[in-house]
Amino acid sequence: MQARLIRISTVAVSILLLAVSVGATDFSYSIGADGGAILLTGGDFFSFDQPGHYGFHLGHQPGNRWLVDLGYAAFKFSNDTKQDSTSSIGTLSNNSPLDFEATRISLMLGRLLFSPERRLNIALTLGGGFLAWQGINPSTNTTYQVKGEKTDATDFGGTELILSSSAALVITPVPTWSANLHARADYLTGTGVEFESAIQTARDHWLLGIGGGFSFHFGHREKQPRRWSNEKTSGETQAPQIRNPSRDSDNDGVPDDVDQCTNTPPGAPVDRVGCPVDTDGDGVTDGFDDCPATSTKARGTVDIHGCPVDSDLDGIPDYKDTCPDNPVGAQVDSIGCPIDSDSDGVPDGLDDCPYTLVGVAVDHYGCIDLSMLSKPMVLNIDYVPGSFEVDPINKERVKRLAGLLNFVKDIKLEINGYTDNIGTPVANKKLSEKRANRVRYYLEMYGVEPERMKVFGRGETNFVASNQTAE
């Protein structure tokens, strides 16, 4: 681990950088290419090589010092197969033959520290994007399989959200061309991939590098001096303004001497006295209202464009939505309430298992919750002496267990019955077998196949209390 940290100090940050769109202030756009050396690090499992990369970018300079850049890059790392295998995660060991193939797309926003006219400048940028990657077995050209968050098999790869920052030295020898030396760091956030916690901890989370590139600048920026409406130019004189009763100051077709709203914005329809018309009474003037026929019931719940607000983005506007705070992505009915086909508490659209058996406990993904089977289920039944009948409360618990077992067919059971130490050991053993068989009988009655269950009478062994008092 220390050796890898030392390598990090020699290879800092890489790839596409917003600063490559820097040029003379006469140009707004740029296109270019870049490359350099990169390092994938931050974990304690794989030991990748340090390959080169290539990429290209499109840039825009919307302001005097502000920069925007859209970039693309591709690269491949190879794991060191000569290292000693000291650990493993699933089917992968730390010397497995593995190629990390990746494509990176980024959108960056940055700013120049000095005036754009300078031939030497520094640019600092922040942004993010996506890293589409996969861990491939080079001998079979197939993607490795690992455990996912739900312990199911999943591809070792995905499209992952990254956060990025960079710095660059920009050289502009002529207005149409520039070169840069840059450093960049990407953080792999884990959003977009779903692996078990052991893999998330062991894998690398930083993509670092250094490099250089060049850009061609084009698209002249027009520069026009800003003048206030009342500003005089040299040698000009203002003509005296003569008040005219028939003048129409706001050009709405109604003369000023009749117009009761003389500051109507251009394009707004007006009534006979020159005031803006609002047909649907939602507070947004016709001509600027994208939804001019909004129901009167929606008054007070429209946006600046005059359209009804839909706070939870479920397609049902708030004034019609009986359930206005649905989680985003949930399927809803005609009144905006979540649809839950299997009645498990997780709405359709967010339910990974939308056909779960009714009444079976589920996790927050809507799939069967098997945590109840992580340890033995204990039925504390208050038997009448010599009895083996199950009381109603525990009978209901057995019914819920049967529902789960009927849905998960590969689970088998051992049913163990017990007694106290009153009576002979032989009699107690027979009674405990009857008690275990009674539980088995109810499970069979609720649909569990008998071949999935084994019954044992433990008698008076391993009882939970001392039997020294009646209580």
Side-chain angles (χ1 to χ4, degrees):
M1 186 61 183
Q2 290 180 347
R4 298 189 66 195
L5 291 174
I6 294 172
R7 288 206 299 270
I8 293 173
S9 66
T10 62
V11 183
V13 197
S14 125
I15 307 195
L16 307 166
L17 170 57
L18 187 46
V20 294
S21 64
V22 176
T25 54
D26 292 340
F27 299 97
S28 292
Y29 301 96
S30 67
I31 185 171
D34 53 31
I38 52 176
L39 173 66
L40 183 62
T41 187
D44 57 3
F45 192 75
F46 295 113
S47 180
F48 290 111
D49 59 1
Q50 299 172 18
H53 77 278
Y54 63 90
F56 60 86
H57 56 268
L58 298 173
H60 176 51
Q61 191 171 343
N64 196 33
R65 293 191 186 183
W66 290 102
L67 316 166
V68 178
D69 190 82
L70 176 66
Y72 168 89
F75 43 86
K76 180 174 76 172
F77 296 90
S78 295
N79 187 37
D80 182 7
T81 59
K82 297 181 180 180
Q83 62 176 326
D84 292 333
S85 178
T86 57
S87 60
S88 63
I89 45 175
T91 58
L92 291 174
S93 62
N94 60 354
N95 65 351
S96 295
L98 183 143
D99 287 345
F100 183 97
E101 296 185 359
T103 299
R104 178 183 181 275
I105 297 176
S106 64
L107 182 63
M108 306 288 285
L109 174 67
R111 183 171 173 82
L112 295 173
L113 296 187
F114 308 110
S115 170
E117 286 80 7
R118 294 185 53 164
R119 293 192 176 185
L120 286 178
N121 216 325
I122 295 176
L124 302 177
T125 65
L126 291 173
F130 296 94
L131 188 72
W133 64 272
Q134 54 185 340
I136 294 176
N137 186 335
S139 61
T140 61
N141 199 30
T142 58
T143 304
Y144 278 105
Q145 294 284 300
V146 296
K147 286 185 179 180
E149 283 185 347
K150 304 174 187 176
T151 69
D152 53 336
T154 187
D155 287 344
F156 187 46
T159 301
E160 184 170 358
L161 179 68
I162 60 173
L163 301 177
S164 182
S165 63
S166 60
L169 175 65
V170 184
I171 307 168
T172 310
V174 294
T176 54
W177 289 94
S178 68
N180 71 86
L181 298 175
H182 59 261
R184 201 212 55 214
D186 290 339
Y187 177 68
L188 283 61
T189 63
T191 301
V193 295
E194 296 181 352
F195 304 129
E196 65 174 346
S197 58
I199 295 175
Q200 287 285 32
T201 302
R203 73 187 189 98
D204 297 299
H205 289 279
W206 287 97
L207 186 64
L208 311 175
I210 56 175
F214 63 90
S215 297
F216 171 69
H217 304 274
F218 59 94
H220 281 279
R221 179 180 309 166
E222 295 189 12
K223 299 180 180 180
Q224 296 180 349
R226 178 177 295 178
R227 177 191 296 181
W228 297 103
S229 58
N230 62 349
E231 184 180 357
K232 296 182 183 179
T233 57
S234 177
E236 290 182 352
T237 58
Q238 275 191 316
Q241 295 184 359
I242 302 174
R243 182 173 179 81
N244 187 345
S246 62
R247 184 183 178 191
D248 183 11
S249 302
D250 52 9
N251 297 314
D252 61 359
V254 180
D256 287 359
D257 56 348
V258 179
D259 198 338
Q260 296 181 14
C261 304
T262 56
N263 295 316
T264 303
V270 297
D271 56 21
R272 291 182 302 170
V273 295
C275 291
V277 175
D278 182 12
T279 305
D280 55 8
D282 62 0
V284 180
T285 304
D286 291 4
F288 302 99
D289 196 338
D290 291 346
C291 303
T294 302
S295 169
T296 55
K297 296 180 180 179
R299 290 179 182 174
T301 61
V302 298
D303 59 20
I304 61 173
H305 304 290
C307 294
V309 173
D310 181 13
S311 301
D312 53 8
L313 305 176
D314 61 0
I316 308 296
D318 286 2
Y319 78 95
K320 291 183 178 180
D321 200 338
T322 306
C323 305
D325 299 314
N326 294 323
V328 176
Q331 296 180 15
V332 299
D333 55 22
S334 59
I335 60 173
C337 290
I339 298 171
D340 185 9
S341 302
D342 53 7
S343 301
D344 62 359
V346 181
D348 293 2
L350 301 175
D351 195 338
D352 290 350
C353 304
Y355 304 108
T356 305
L357 191 66
V358 175
V360 175
V362 298
D363 57 21
H364 63 282
Y365 298 105
C367 296
I368 292 180
D369 186 3
L370 299 178
S371 61
M372 65 180 295
L373 302 178
S374 62
K375 57 183 179 180
M377 176 184 288
V378 178
L379 304 179
N380 291 308
I381 302 172
D382 189 11
Y383 288 108
V384 175
S387 171
F388 53 86
E389 184 55 55
V390 180
D391 62 85
I393 293 177
N394 282 286
K395 193 181 295 183
E396 183 62 29
R397 293 183 67 198
V398 171
K399 183 177 180 179
R400 290 199 301 270
L401 175 61
L404 175 60
L405 295 174
N406 288 331
F407 204 83
V408 186
K409 298 291 187 180
D410 57 344
I411 294 178
K412 297 183 179 181
L413 283 81
E414 286 185 6
I415 305 172
N416 298 282
Y418 298 88
T419 69
D420 58 16
N421 62 356
I422 299 175
T424 67
V426 174
N428 284 337
K429 183 172 179 60
K430 289 182 179 180
L431 177 58
S432 66
E433 289 176 352
K434 290 181 180 181
R435 290 177 173 176
N437 275 307
R438 195 60 171 171
V439 173
R440 175 179 177 173
Y441 164 79
Y442 283 116
L443 287 172
E444 286 185 33
M445 188 175 68
Y446 296 133
V448 180
E449 298 83 357
E451 59 269 17
R452 296 171 59 187
M453 298 180 284
K454 292 182 179 181
V455 173
F456 299 94
R458 305 299 184 184
E460 58 188 57
T461 61
N462 297 326
F463 45 83
V464 298
S466 67
N467 290 281
Q468 297 302 310
T469 65
E471 181 181 7

